[in-house]
Amino acid sequence: MSLGLGSGDFLTGKESLGEIEKIASSCERCGLCEERQNVVFGTGNPSADLMFVGEGPGENEDRQGLPFVGRSGKLLDDLIAQELGLGRDEVYITNVVKCRPPRNRDPRPEEVSSCRPYLRRQMELVAPKVVVSLGNPAAQSLLATRTGISRLRGQRYKLGDAVLVPTYHPAALLRGGGGEMTAQTRADLVLAKLSLEE
Ligand code: URA
């Protein structure tokens, strides 16, 4: 899987989810720690079959310490309920970087690398069957590619023992991606559902 080992892994591989969350809560591995209010580690069912991975916390998430709690989060909750018949507590939701990038810019490659061991361990411990990545930075970092989301979506990829289904970020739908983008996102979630049932 592309999340691969990489050097500089500071985790032993033996920590529990709670232990890595505690380590992350005082993390200073990259500059994103300087302006954060809270580390946003992840939420939901720790043994979920379905995991969502966004790019990084926004303003509301930084304030509350929880992923996808703003307008994008409300839309994500609605899409998960409508297309998968699941509640937020039944899935696991996290981000590629756990601290808010200033002014909501995309996370930088070095920030993604610094944070990667946390995401890798979350994936090992939650062990989802299906991972849905939301938006460009998440898909590109999980697949180690520079190909854009509009070309990546609509297909399934192998990600370790899981299946990765990349789709658009709910914020892109809210920015007026249009009905077409929303329809494609719904189709991607149906693909995720089929993958869960296989
Ligand atoms: N956007 C993200 O990518 N993640 C969040 O948690 C919130 C908004």
Side-chain angles (χ1 to χ4, degrees), residues 2-168:
S2 321
L3 250 191
L5 283 170
S7 56
D9 198 339
F10 57 97
L11 299 173
T12 63
K14 300 209 166 90
E15 296 90 351
S16 68
L17 212 50
E19 283 164 345
I20 49 171
E21 180 165 9
K22 186 150 183 277
I23 295 169
S25 70
S26 56
C27 183
E28 296 185 349
R29 287 174 52 82
C30 80
L32 293 183
C33 65
E34 285 163 22
E35 293 185 40
R36 75 168 176 236
Q37 292 186 48
N38 284 293
V39 173
V40 179
F41 183 72
T43 190
N45 177 354
S47 22
D49 283 340
L50 180 58
M51 179 185 269
F52 287 84
V53 181
E55 62 186 67
E59 188 180 2
N60 292 302
E61 291 76 20
D62 180 49
R63 202 178 309 122
Q64 295 185 42
L66 290 168
F68 283 98
V69 287
R71 280 182 70 221
S72 298
K74 170 77 178 82
L75 177 55
L76 181 62
D77 288 350
D78 289 347
L79 290 169
I80 294 173
Q82 289 161 14
E83 300 303 337
L84 292 141
L86 294 171
R88 153 177 288 248
D89 292 348
E90 294 176 276
V91 302
Y92 190 85
I93 306 178
T94 189
N95 283 300
V96 169
V97 295
K98 314 300 188 209
C99 298
R100 182 189 180 200
R103 292 165 299 285
N104 297 342
R105 63 162 170 75
D106 285 354
R108 297 186 176 130
E110 66 274 17
E111 295 160 351
V112 170
S113 303
S114 300
C115 227
R116 185 170 284 126
Y118 296 120
L119 181 57
R120 189 167 55 234
R121 260 324 260 155
Q122 282 173 305
M123 286 195 177
E124 283 168 5
L125 289 162
V126 176
K129 277 177 78 174
V130 179
V131 176
V132 175
S133 62
L134 302 166
N136 248 328
Q140 290 177 336
S141 102
L142 290 172
L143 288 169
T145 179
R146 299 179 74 171
T147 304
I149 185 63
S150 57
R151 287 187 52 205
L152 293 172
R153 65 147 297 277
Q155 297 170 64
R156 301 190 263 199
Y157 302 81
K158 193 167 159 35
L159 186 70
D161 293 334
V163 169
L164 173 67
V165 179
T167 196
Y168 293 112

